[in-house]
Amino acid sequence: SLLSAVEASKMQGLDAHSKLVYQVIESAGNKGIWTVDIRVQTNIPQATLTKIFKQLETRKLIKPIKAVTAKTKKLYMLYDLVPAKEITGGPWYTEGEFDHEFIAELRNFIIMCVRRMNRGKGVSIQQISDKMVQANVSRVQLSLEEVRQLVQTLLHDYVIEERGVTDDGMALFVPAKKITTMCEFGWWDVLCKDFHFRGIRFEDDVVLNAH
């Protein structure tokens, strides 16, 4: 095939050491392999390895990758492979850094979906995901599980809450009820005109009875 012919031309002229390094990197797949592990597996001196890496990179046979878990170390994998998410950090990382701004934008879009879609009566993760694709709000394609992770952060912050299910049994999410705090009312709110105490009902349906 044409692809095989192209690969063969890239490999042409490589010595035994270079081919061995290529094979070791190839066996690591899309998770890559640390340079120190390549040295251990091939038993090739570091100075020679450095030259081999440069040669294979120039031929676009391999590429260096930085993992989010160890930014000072270098991984290598085959040039045409897409790094595994556990290496790059997935969509939440940009150039190895946790992207707070990108996540905040997606969270705000989800909040808007929960408030506006279905007249605020509840929206499922699948509906949110479909709307995100339709609106093209994410620079990368997000899986349903990744959208679920975003929703879970909003649940944790009590910005939205789960209420009810669809006919298919999928959870529905609605804006969270406002939580009343003790500082949101004054002592005069619980007094009648005759200065007797009265019960008071808050926006979240919490009732404080007179006693």
Side-chain angles (χ1 to χ4, degrees):
S1 68
L2 177 61
L3 181 61
S4 299
V6 170
E7 287 301 312
S9 66
K10 289 181 180 179
M11 298 288 287
Q12 190 173 7
L14 294 180
D15 61 19
H17 277 170
S18 297
K19 289 179 180 178
L20 175 60
V21 170
Y22 178 85
Q23 290 167 357
V24 168
I25 295 172
E26 182 181 32
S27 65
N30 67 347
K31 292 186 179 180
I33 182 170
W34 303 111
T35 53
V36 65
D37 293 329
I38 297 173
R39 189 170 71 246
V40 169
Q41 290 189 33
T42 61
N43 202 28
I44 298 174
Q46 184 60 51
T48 305
L49 270 181
T50 301
K51 293 178 182 178
I52 292 173
F53 289 150
K54 187 174 182 180
Q55 181 188 35
L56 295 179
E57 284 183 62
T58 301
R59 295 192 181 204
K60 294 187 176 181
L61 286 168
I62 65 171
K63 60 184 175 184
I65 298 291
K66 287 186 178 180
V68 295
T69 53
K71 298 175 185 177
T72 58
K73 296 182 179 180
K74 188 181 288 186
L75 283 163
Y76 274 103
M77 66 178 58
L78 294 192
Y79 185 82
D80 294 327
L81 290 182
V82 176
K85 287 183 179 180
E86 54 262 46
I87 302 300
T88 63
W92 316 136
Y93 285 78
T94 301
E95 296 181 357
E97 298 293 333
F98 191 70
D99 199 333
H100 294 276
E101 185 176 343
F102 176 56
I103 293 170
E105 289 174 1
L106 295 178
R107 278 167 50 100
N108 287 335
F109 183 83
I110 292 174
I111 292 170
M112 184 183 70
C113 289
V114 172
R115 289 175 178 171
R116 297 183 181 180
M117 290 177 65
N118 302 336
R119 292 177 293 181
K121 293 183 178 179
V123 60
S124 69
I125 290 177
Q126 183 65 63
Q127 289 172 325
I128 293 171
S129 178
D130 292 343
K131 193 67 175 179
M132 293 175 83
V133 172
Q134 181 185 347
N136 195 29
V137 295
S138 176
R139 61 170 177 261
V140 294
Q141 185 174 353
L142 298 177
S143 67
L144 201 62
E145 178 55 34
E146 287 160 348
V147 176
R148 189 187 311 278
Q149 290 173 15
L150 289 167
V151 169
Q152 286 174 340
T153 67
L154 293 170
L155 286 169
H156 181 268
D157 292 342
Y158 202 64
V159 178
I160 63 175
E161 63 182 9
E162 186 176 331
R163 189 185 303 167
V165 295
T166 65
D167 293 338
D168 299 330
M170 298 176 68
L172 290 172
F173 301 92
V174 298
K177 289 181 179 179
K178 182 180 178 183
I179 300 177
T180 301
T181 60
M182 293 301 293
C183 62
E184 287 182 344
F185 71 96
W187 57 266
W188 52 85
D189 291 322
V190 295
L191 288 179
C192 298
K193 291 181 179 179
D194 59 1
F195 289 97
H196 284 91
F197 288 108
R198 64 181 177 85
I200 186 169
R201 181 183 295 273
F202 300 102
E203 292 180 15
D204 52 8
D205 291 330
V206 173
V207 177
L208 181 63
N209 292 314
H211 61 280

